[in-house]
Amino acid sequence: MKYMINLCCLPIATAIVLWLVPASADIQNLPNRETPRPATTKGIPHIQIDVEVVPEIAAALRDRVSTIPGVELRRTIIGRAGSTGFWVKDDTKLARPESIIRGREFAHVHPDGSLHASLPPELAVKAIDAGWAIHHPWAAKRQGLEGFVMIYTPVSDDELDVVFELVKESYGFVTGN
């Protein structure tokens, strides 16, 4: 159920923050993705095939992720060249370090706009069933990576909202926050 907030009754700083934050997707009732699933490679590197990134949406995703408390953007140590790693800051405890491939990089976004991230395994299945993701080839090969997926490139603002929520779920999963 969605609630309307009367911004005029809130302190000005709170109202501004609520107004600027995009409406979040309902991650518990993950909507079906309307864009067709892109083809992907079966092995490593695990990439999408023939997908056009929307530069403004890719930039908006990085900008949003950079606002998550406890997250910093760095060069990836596991993704292909040109990817941006989403790192858990050093002062934040990891609840599930086995769900991270290397270092404190819990996810990364590729130049084509697709992402690799560790989701809670049950959410990974929901995301796959709803057309948002596909299991990474390593997901079945290492304990702790059962929810490791490629999330497809968002191509609209609505898709961006859902993908951002999935990234936040990934961060929450690996940190327990």
Side-chain angles (χ1 to χ4, degrees), residues 64-72 89 92 171 177:
R64 286 187 190 183
V65 171
S66 73
T67 67
I68 299 171
V71 172
E72 59 187 351
K89 290 184 178 178
T92 303
Y171 174 77
N177 294 330

Side-chain angles (χ1 to χ4, degrees), residues 41-86:
T41 57
K42 304 255 185 249
I44 307 300
H46 188 226
I47 57 175
Q48 295 178 139
I49 300 168
D50 295 329
V51 173
E52 292 286 327
V53 67
V54 179
E56 298 80 16
I57 291 176
L61 176 62
R62 286 189 300 276
D63 288 347
R64 286 187 190 183
V65 171
S66 73
T67 67
I68 299 171
V71 172
E72 59 187 351
L73 305 185
R74 295 186 192 173
R75 195 177 81 201
T76 184
I77 59 171
I78 58 171
R80 67 183 199 265
S83 297
T84 302
F86 301 159

